[in-house]
Amino acid sequence: MPMFDFECRECKKRFEEIVSADSHVVCPECGSDELAKLWSPFAVGRGGASTPRCAPSIPAGGA
Ligand SMILES: [Zn+2]
């Protein structure tokens, strides 16, 4: 599941939350749902270009 950074627009509290498709995220500090979603470097770094793929490289049009 993706993890996002949020910043509360009410109290400026920043926190991380694992967000499923239908979850309703509120500020743990003041309970507001006025949140700005930030991209966590932790989440973005996953599955990027640095991840080696296990698929063998098959040349196109071999046979
Ligand atoms: Zn807040």
Side-chain angles (χ1 to χ4, degrees):
M1 266 185 273
M3 176 180 283
F4 294 103
D5 278 344
F6 291 92
E7 184 179 87
C8 177
R9 292 190 175 127
E10 295 293 329
C11 69
K12 304 300 181 186
K13 167 80 174 181
R14 285 181 69 160
F15 59 99
E16 291 182 335
E17 191 76 29
I18 296 173
V19 182
S20 58
D22 215 28
S23 64
H24 182 67
V25 183
V26 297
C27 174
E29 195 75 12
C30 71
S32 172
D33 61 357
E34 291 292 314
L35 307 173
K37 187 185 284 185
L38 310 170
W39 286 103
S40 169
F42 176 73
V44 171
R46 291 182 151 206
S50 61
T51 306
R53 290 177 178 247
C54 295
S57 58
I58 302 170

